[in-house]
Structure formats: C-alpha cells, structure tokens
Amino acid sequence: MQTSNIIGWAVVAIALSTVIACTYSSGRQTNGSLSQVNLSATRNDGYRDGEQDRIRYLIARLSSEEAHDREVAQRELLTFARASAANRDGLIQELLKDVGRHDELDGRHVVLTRTFDYWFIVTLIFLELRAEEAIDPMIKCIHCGNGYSGSFGVRPAFDALQNMGSLAVPKLSLALKQQSDEDARSQVAICLGAIGGEEAKRALQQSLRTEASKDVLNSIKLGLRTIENESRARRR
C-alpha cells in the first residue's frame, strides 16, 4: 500500500513538472513573438521603429563630398520609397524639409557653390519618384546650376522638370506668369518649350502677349520655336 502511494505521488509529480515545463516554454515562445511584432510595428508617424532615423541619416549622406556615398544613399532611399506609397510620400516630405534647410537653394543663387552635388542627386530622386509635391521647390531653383556656360552648364531642377514632362506643365505655366525672377521665368519658358505639347504651347503664347521683359520674351519665342520644330519633325 505504501509503495503504491509512493508510485502514485511520483506520477503526479512528473505530470506537474511536464505541465510547468510546457507552460514555461509556451510563455517564452509567446513573449518572443510579441517582441518581434513590437519591433516591426508601425508607429503613429508612419515609420517603423528605427526607420525615420535611418532615412534622415541617408538624406544627410546626400550631402557627402564622396560621390560613392551619395549614390549608395540614393539607391537605398529609392528602395525604401518603392516599398509602399506611404514610404514614398514620407521620403518626399523628409527630402523637402531637408531642401528647405539649404539656404543656397532659396532661388536667389544662380551658381550653387556648396550644394550643387546635393541638389543634383535630390532632383534625380524627385524625378524617379515622379514627385509632383517637389515641382514648386524645383521651379524656384530651376535656374540654379554649376555656373558653367554654354553646353557645359548643368541645371539639375531644369533637367528633372523637363523629364517629368506633362506632369510639370501646369505648375510651370503658372510660374511663367507669377515667378518674380526674370532668369527663372526665362528658364521656365525654355523648359516648357522642351517639354512641348498643346498645354505648354498655350502657356507660352499667353505669356507672349503679357511679358514685359525682353530677355524673357526671347526665351518664350525660343520655347515656341522648339515646339514648332518638333511638330514639323513629326509631320515629316
């Protein structure tokens, strides 16, 4: 009888140990899963934990003096932006904030002595993402470049807007009427001519009747000639 009781208690003890061990193991697995969920959870600002810091770090690298650093940052930012619409929108807003911190990109500096490489790669990102939100800031600095004359001059915003094509035409058309800087208006007119199309042509024709600056008028005429030449070439 005594032996039977001992065996019975032993069985109970083993069973309890098994239950405790299973419960502990299950708890560890549950806690581990929760940790993983928390680490990958999206915060209220749209970023996952650690993402915003990484994006801001990469944006800062766009100002690096090393071309390789800038290109690596560009690739990683574009990879991030292409992952989702929310990522794209968030990145564009962060880039626009960063552009606003560069005084040389306020539209009053035709020659970019400190920010040319940064502006060049930022406008490429805006172009790649078809960032309509960035069109106005780019128009403000459409005439900004490296200062070289002739065919060696590079105007990053001009090139990006031209390559955006019809997406940029409505705001370029408005800028042709409202932009206070004559050099900027001239570049807007030439950019509209390079993009071409009926909407761009109408904008140039309207400004031809109201523009007071001779230099801007010459640019408007150049833009219209460019459109006409393209139209003739297509008809051949």
Side-chain angles (χ1 to χ4, degrees), residues 188-228:
V188 166
I190 295 171
C191 190
L192 283 167
I195 293 171
E198 287 301 316
E199 187 178 359
K201 183 178 179 179
R202 281 195 301 272
L204 290 168
Q205 289 172 334
Q206 289 170 4
S207 291
L208 190 62
R209 297 191 291 268
T210 58
E211 179 59 57
S213 166
K214 287 185 177 180
D215 290 338
V216 179
L217 279 172
N218 287 335
S219 296
I220 291 172
K221 292 174 183 177
L222 175 59
L224 287 169
R225 283 199 301 273
T226 301
I227 293 174
E228 182 59 31

Side-chain angles (χ1 to χ4, degrees), residues 42-61:
T42 301
R43 301 186 337 218
N44 291 333
D45 57 12
Y47 290 95
R48 296 181 184 277
D49 288 340
E51 269 185 350
Q52 190 172 40
D53 290 339
R54 179 63 179 168
I55 295 307
R56 288 176 177 172
Y57 166 78
L58 290 169
I59 289 174
R61 298 307 293 161

